[in-house]
PDB file of all heavy atoms in Angstrom:
ATOM      1  N   PRO A   1       5.964  13.798  14.336  1.00 93.00           N
ATOM      2  CA  PRO A   1       4.562  13.656  14.526  1.00 93.00           C
ATOM      3  C   PRO A   1       3.859  13.190  13.243  1.00 93.00           C
ATOM      4  O   PRO A   1       4.032  13.775  12.171  1.00 93.00           O
ATOM      5  CB  PRO A   1       4.025  15.000  15.037  1.00 93.00           C
ATOM      6  CG  PRO A   1       5.301  15.811  15.417  1.00 93.00           C
ATOM      7  CD  PRO A   1       6.399  15.242  14.524  1.00 93.00           C
ATOM      8  N   ARG A   2       2.938  12.187  13.357  1.00 94.00           N
ATOM      9  CA  ARG A   2       2.297  11.727  12.191  1.00 94.00           C
ATOM     10  C   ARG A   2       0.920  11.176  12.625  1.00 94.00           C
ATOM     11  O   ARG A   2       0.673  10.768  13.765  1.00 94.00           O
ATOM     12  CB  ARG A   2       3.045  10.500  11.578  1.00 94.00           C
ATOM     13  CG  ARG A   2       4.414  10.853  11.008  1.00 94.00           C
ATOM     14  CD  ARG A   2       4.216  11.711   9.711  1.00 94.00           C
ATOM     15  NE  ARG A   2       3.382  11.083   8.738  1.00 94.00           N
ATOM     16  CZ  ARG A   2       3.817  10.222   7.817  1.00 94.00           C
ATOM     17  NH1 ARG A   2       5.075   9.859   7.877  1.00 94.00           N
ATOM     18  NH2 ARG A   2       2.963   9.672   6.979  1.00 94.00           N
ATOM     19  N   GLY A   3      -0.080  11.304  11.656  1.00 95.00           N
ATOM     20  CA  GLY A   3      -1.241  10.628  11.802  1.00 95.00           C
ATOM     21  C   GLY A   3      -1.089   9.097  11.685  1.00 95.00           C
ATOM     22  O   GLY A   3      -0.374   8.653  10.755  1.00 95.00           O
ATOM     23  N   VAL A   4      -1.503   8.373  12.697  1.00 95.00           N
ATOM     24  CA  VAL A   4      -1.147   6.903  12.646  1.00 95.00           C
ATOM     25  C   VAL A   4      -1.697   6.238  11.401  1.00 95.00           C
ATOM     26  O   VAL A   4      -1.054   5.413  10.856  1.00 95.00           O
ATOM     27  CB  VAL A   4      -1.854   6.290  13.921  1.00 95.00           C
ATOM     28  CG1 VAL A   4      -1.615   4.791  13.985  1.00 95.00           C
ATOM     29  CG2 VAL A   4      -1.296   6.928  15.201  1.00 95.00           C
ATOM     30  N   PHE A   5      -2.864   6.728  10.925  1.00 95.00           N
ATOM     31  CA  PHE A   5      -3.462   6.059   9.756  1.00 95.00           C
ATOM     32  C   PHE A   5      -2.672   6.383   8.495  1.00 95.00           C
ATOM     33  O   PHE A   5      -2.371   5.550   7.691  1.00 95.00           O
ATOM     34  CB  PHE A   5      -4.933   6.366   9.593  1.00 95.00           C
ATOM     35  CG  PHE A   5      -5.553   5.790   8.321  1.00 95.00           C
ATOM     36  CD1 PHE A   5      -5.678   4.507   8.198  1.00 95.00           C
ATOM     37  CD2 PHE A   5      -6.050   6.749   7.357  1.00 95.00           C
ATOM     38  CE1 PHE A   5      -6.251   3.996   6.934  1.00 95.00           C
ATOM     39  CE2 PHE A   5      -6.531   6.183   6.180  1.00 95.00           C
ATOM     40  CZ  PHE A   5      -6.718   4.862   5.971  1.00 95.00           C
ATOM     41  N   SER A   6      -2.385   7.682   8.318  1.00 96.00           N
ATOM     42  CA  SER A   6      -1.561   8.098   7.124  1.00 96.00           C
ATOM     43  C   SER A   6      -0.262   7.338   7.168  1.00 96.00           C
ATOM     44  O   SER A   6       0.235   6.860   6.117  1.00 96.00           O
ATOM     45  CB  SER A   6      -1.369   9.584   7.115  1.00 96.00           C
ATOM     46  OG  SER A   6      -2.543  10.276   6.886  1.00 96.00           O
ATOM     47  N   TRP A   7       0.425   7.274   8.307  1.00 94.00           N
ATOM     48  CA  TRP A   7       1.693   6.651   8.329  1.00 94.00           C
ATOM     49  C   TRP A   7       1.539   5.102   8.042  1.00 94.00           C
ATOM     50  O   TRP A   7       2.337   4.515   7.222  1.00 94.00           O
ATOM     51  CB  TRP A   7       2.223   6.782   9.792  1.00 94.00           C
ATOM     52  CG  TRP A   7       3.489   5.992  10.052  1.00 94.00           C
ATOM     53  CD1 TRP A   7       4.767   6.369   9.746  1.00 94.00           C
ATOM     54  CD2 TRP A   7       3.571   4.753  10.616  1.00 94.00           C
ATOM     55  NE1 TRP A   7       5.686   5.440  10.165  1.00 94.00           N
ATOM     56  CE2 TRP A   7       4.954   4.337  10.657  1.00 94.00           C
ATOM     57  CE3 TRP A   7       2.622   3.820  11.061  1.00 94.00           C
ATOM     58  CZ2 TRP A   7       5.398   3.121  11.176  1.00 94.00           C
ATOM     59  CZ3 TRP A   7       3.117   2.580  11.585  1.00 94.00           C
ATOM     60  CH2 TRP A   7       4.528   2.221  11.667  1.00 94.00           C
ATOM     61  N   ALA A   8       0.449   4.479   8.558  1.00 93.00           N
ATOM     62  CA  ALA A   8       0.262   3.082   8.288  1.00 93.00           C
ATOM     63  C   ALA A   8      -0.109   2.806   6.816  1.00 93.00           C
ATOM     64  O   ALA A   8       0.371   1.841   6.192  1.00 93.00           O
ATOM     65  CB  ALA A   8      -0.805   2.605   9.230  1.00 93.00           C
ATOM     66  N   LEU A   9      -0.850   3.707   6.219  1.00 94.00           N
ATOM     67  CA  LEU A   9      -1.342   3.481   4.826  1.00 94.00           C
ATOM     68  C   LEU A   9      -0.067   3.648   3.879  1.00 94.00           C
ATOM     69  O   LEU A   9       0.102   2.863   2.973  1.00 94.00           O
ATOM     70  CB  LEU A   9      -2.375   4.498   4.450  1.00 94.00           C
ATOM     71  CG  LEU A   9      -2.935   4.335   3.053  1.00 94.00           C
ATOM     72  CD1 LEU A   9      -3.563   2.938   2.778  1.00 94.00           C
ATOM     73  CD2 LEU A   9      -3.999   5.467   2.785  1.00 94.00           C
ATOM     74  N   LEU A  10       0.736   4.677   4.055  1.00 92.00           N
ATOM     75  CA  LEU A  10       1.888   4.831   3.263  1.00 92.00           C
ATOM     76  C   LEU A  10       2.930   3.707   3.453  1.00 92.00           C
ATOM     77  O   LEU A  10       3.568   3.284   2.583  1.00 92.00           O
ATOM     78  CB  LEU A  10       2.529   6.172   3.479  1.00 92.00           C
ATOM     79  CG  LEU A  10       1.724   7.390   3.024  1.00 92.00           C
ATOM     80  CD1 LEU A  10       2.294   8.671   3.576  1.00 92.00           C
ATOM     81  CD2 LEU A  10       1.722   7.442   1.534  1.00 92.00           C
ATOM     82  N   ARG A  11       2.972   3.190   4.745  1.00 89.00           N
ATOM     83  CA  ARG A  11       3.897   2.086   4.918  1.00 89.00           C
ATOM     84  C   ARG A  11       3.350   0.857   4.194  1.00 89.00           C
ATOM     85  O   ARG A  11       4.153   0.078   3.670  1.00 89.00           O
ATOM     86  CB  ARG A  11       3.886   1.854   6.467  1.00 89.00           C
ATOM     87  CG  ARG A  11       4.898   0.743   6.943  1.00 89.00           C
ATOM     88  CD  ARG A  11       5.025   0.751   8.380  1.00 89.00           C
ATOM     89  NE  ARG A  11       6.143  -0.197   8.845  1.00 89.00           N
ATOM     90  CZ  ARG A  11       5.860  -1.386   9.285  1.00 89.00           C
ATOM     91  NH1 ARG A  11       4.586  -1.882   9.286  1.00 89.00           N
ATOM     92  NH2 ARG A  11       6.861  -2.180   9.660  1.00 89.00           N
ATOM     93  N   ALA A  12       2.074   0.639   4.244  1.00 89.00           N
ATOM     94  CA  ALA A  12       1.517  -0.452   3.432  1.00 89.00           C
ATOM     95  C   ALA A  12       1.741  -0.376   1.915  1.00 89.00           C
ATOM     96  O   ALA A  12       2.118  -1.314   1.284  1.00 89.00           O
ATOM     97  CB  ALA A  12      -0.015  -0.604   3.735  1.00 89.00           C
ATOM     98  N   LEU A  13       1.591   0.877   1.405  1.00 88.00           N
ATOM     99  CA  LEU A  13       1.892   1.102   0.028  1.00 88.00           C
ATOM    100  C   LEU A  13       3.333   0.805  -0.318  1.00 88.00           C
ATOM    101  O   LEU A  13       3.702   0.237  -1.346  1.00 88.00           O
ATOM    102  CB  LEU A  13       1.543   2.557  -0.316  1.00 88.00           C
ATOM    103  CG  LEU A  13       0.086   2.843  -0.620  1.00 88.00           C
ATOM    104  CD1 LEU A  13      -0.173   4.387  -0.537  1.00 88.00           C
ATOM    105  CD2 LEU A  13      -0.399   2.237  -1.828  1.00 88.00           C
ATOM    106  N   GLY A  14       4.229   1.194   0.567  1.00 84.00           N
ATOM    107  CA  GLY A  14       5.623   0.928   0.360  1.00 84.00           C
ATOM    108  C   GLY A  14       5.982  -0.579   0.347  1.00 84.00           C
ATOM    109  O   GLY A  14       6.865  -1.044  -0.324  1.00 84.00           O
ATOM    110  N   ARG A  15       5.244  -1.328   1.279  1.00 78.00           N
ATOM    111  CA  ARG A  15       5.567  -2.686   1.420  1.00 78.00           C
ATOM    112  C   ARG A  15       4.879  -3.560   0.353  1.00 78.00           C
ATOM    113  O   ARG A  15       5.461  -4.563  -0.107  1.00 78.00           O
ATOM    114  CB  ARG A  15       5.068  -3.093   2.859  1.00 78.00           C
ATOM    115  CG  ARG A  15       5.538  -4.447   3.339  1.00 78.00           C
ATOM    116  CD  ARG A  15       5.315  -4.661   4.769  1.00 78.00           C
ATOM    117  NE  ARG A  15       3.929  -4.680   5.108  1.00 78.00           N
ATOM    118  CZ  ARG A  15       3.258  -3.838   5.917  1.00 78.00           C
ATOM    119  NH1 ARG A  15       3.887  -2.798   6.397  1.00 78.00           N
ATOM    120  NH2 ARG A  15       2.029  -3.933   6.093  1.00 78.00           N
ATOM    121  N   LEU A  16       3.649  -3.175   0.060  1.00 79.00           N
ATOM    122  CA  LEU A  16       2.850  -4.049  -0.936  1.00 79.00           C
ATOM    123  C   LEU A  16       2.971  -3.583  -2.287  1.00 79.00           C
ATOM    124  O   LEU A  16       2.646  -4.294  -3.250  1.00 79.00           O
ATOM    125  CB  LEU A  16       1.437  -4.117  -0.446  1.00 79.00           C
ATOM    126  CG  LEU A  16       1.165  -4.595   0.998  1.00 79.00           C
ATOM    127  CD1 LEU A  16      -0.334  -4.577   1.193  1.00 79.00           C
ATOM    128  CD2 LEU A  16       1.590  -6.042   1.087  1.00 79.00           C
ATOM    129  N   GLY A  17       3.347  -2.275  -2.575  1.00 75.00           N
ATOM    130  CA  GLY A  17       3.437  -1.761  -3.880  1.00 75.00           C
ATOM    131  C   GLY A  17       2.152  -1.166  -4.363  1.00 75.00           C
ATOM    132  O   GLY A  17       1.052  -1.396  -3.893  1.00 75.00           O
ATOM    133  N   GLY A  18       2.238  -0.293  -5.382  1.00 71.00           N
ATOM    134  CA  GLY A  18       1.105   0.348  -5.973  1.00 71.00           C
ATOM    135  C   GLY A  18       0.013  -0.519  -6.602  1.00 71.00           C
ATOM    136  O   GLY A  18      -1.002  -0.098  -6.881  1.00 71.00           O
ATOM    137  N   SER A  19       0.428  -1.845  -6.897  1.00 79.00           N
ATOM    138  CA  SER A  19      -0.518  -2.720  -7.491  1.00 79.00           C
ATOM    139  C   SER A  19      -1.467  -3.382  -6.488  1.00 79.00           C
ATOM    140  O   SER A  19      -2.357  -4.057  -6.872  1.00 79.00           O
ATOM    141  CB  SER A  19       0.213  -3.781  -8.315  1.00 79.00           C
ATOM    142  OG  SER A  19       0.999  -4.565  -7.429  1.00 79.00           O
ATOM    143  N   ALA A  20      -1.218  -3.192  -5.215  1.00 85.00           N
ATOM    144  CA  ALA A  20      -2.043  -3.675  -4.186  1.00 85.00           C
ATOM    145  C   ALA A  20      -3.406  -3.129  -4.232  1.00 85.00           C
ATOM    146  O   ALA A  20      -3.620  -1.944  -4.505  1.00 85.00           O
ATOM    147  CB  ALA A  20      -1.494  -3.534  -2.846  1.00 85.00           C
ATOM    148  N   THR A  21      -4.422  -3.928  -4.004  1.00 90.00           N
ATOM    149  CA  THR A  21      -5.838  -3.384  -4.058  1.00 90.00           C
ATOM    150  C   THR A  21      -6.116  -2.609  -2.845  1.00 90.00           C
ATOM    151  O   THR A  21      -5.481  -2.703  -1.795  1.00 90.00           O
ATOM    152  CB  THR A  21      -6.847  -4.524  -4.194  1.00 90.00           C
ATOM    153  OG1 THR A  21      -6.766  -5.403  -3.002  1.00 90.00           O
ATOM    154  CG2 THR A  21      -6.503  -5.372  -5.429  1.00 90.00           C
ATOM    155  N   TYR A  22      -7.275  -1.750  -2.902  1.00 92.00           N
ATOM    156  CA  TYR A  22      -7.648  -1.000  -1.727  1.00 92.00           C
ATOM    157  C   TYR A  22      -7.917  -1.979  -0.499  1.00 92.00           C
ATOM    158  O   TYR A  22      -7.663  -1.585   0.635  1.00 92.00           O
ATOM    159  CB  TYR A  22      -8.847  -0.165  -2.084  1.00 92.00           C
ATOM    160  CG  TYR A  22      -8.574   0.974  -3.062  1.00 92.00           C
ATOM    161  CD1 TYR A  22      -9.080   0.775  -4.320  1.00 92.00           C
ATOM    162  CD2 TYR A  22      -7.821   2.095  -2.703  1.00 92.00           C
ATOM    163  CE1 TYR A  22      -8.751   1.852  -5.298  1.00 92.00           C
ATOM    164  CE2 TYR A  22      -7.584   3.047  -3.621  1.00 92.00           C
ATOM    165  CZ  TYR A  22      -8.002   2.918  -4.890  1.00 92.00           C
ATOM    166  OH  TYR A  22      -7.752   3.900  -5.842  1.00 92.00           O
ATOM    167  N   ARG A  23      -8.608  -3.051  -0.802  1.00 88.00           N
ATOM    168  CA  ARG A  23      -8.930  -3.985   0.237  1.00 88.00           C
ATOM    169  C   ARG A  23      -7.703  -4.417   0.889  1.00 88.00           C
ATOM    170  O   ARG A  23      -7.650  -4.548   2.171  1.00 88.00           O
ATOM    171  CB  ARG A  23      -9.748  -5.147  -0.381  1.00 88.00           C
ATOM    172  CG  ARG A  23     -10.425  -6.037   0.640  1.00 88.00           C
ATOM    173  CD  ARG A  23     -11.122  -7.197   0.098  1.00 88.00           C
ATOM    174  NE  ARG A  23     -12.041  -6.826  -1.084  1.00 88.00           N
ATOM    175  CZ  ARG A  23     -13.235  -6.419  -0.898  1.00 88.00           C
ATOM    176  NH1 ARG A  23     -13.740  -6.314   0.360  1.00 88.00           N
ATOM    177  NH2 ARG A  23     -14.005  -6.117  -1.857  1.00 88.00           N
ATOM    178  N   ARG A  24      -6.646  -4.898   0.194  1.00 86.00           N
ATOM    179  CA  ARG A  24      -5.438  -5.391   0.855  1.00 86.00           C
ATOM    180  C   ARG A  24      -4.713  -4.258   1.647  1.00 86.00           C
ATOM    181  O   ARG A  24      -4.200  -4.448   2.613  1.00 86.00           O
ATOM    182  CB  ARG A  24      -4.432  -5.917  -0.212  1.00 86.00           C
ATOM    183  CG  ARG A  24      -4.896  -7.328  -0.759  1.00 86.00           C
ATOM    184  CD  ARG A  24      -3.846  -7.953  -1.638  1.00 86.00           C
ATOM    185  NE  ARG A  24      -2.675  -8.257  -0.812  1.00 86.00           N
ATOM    186  CZ  ARG A  24      -1.420  -8.379  -1.167  1.00 86.00           C
ATOM    187  NH1 ARG A  24      -1.115  -8.210  -2.504  1.00 86.00           N
ATOM    188  NH2 ARG A  24      -0.415  -8.745  -0.372  1.00 86.00           N
TER     189      ARG A  24
END
């Protein structure tokens, strides 16, 4: 079980990297 947003945000961080901006 996961919060859809938390899961999606951490997935985006893993895919785009820590240098990605908040907007991206």
Side-chain angles (χ1 to χ4, degrees):
R2 293 292 303 277
V4 179
F5 176 63
S6 290
W7 175 86
L9 182 59
L10 289 169
R11 187 170 184 263
L13 282 165
R15 192 167 68 244
L16 301 178
S19 62
T21 65
Y22 294 107
R23 194 183 306 279
R24 288 191 65 205

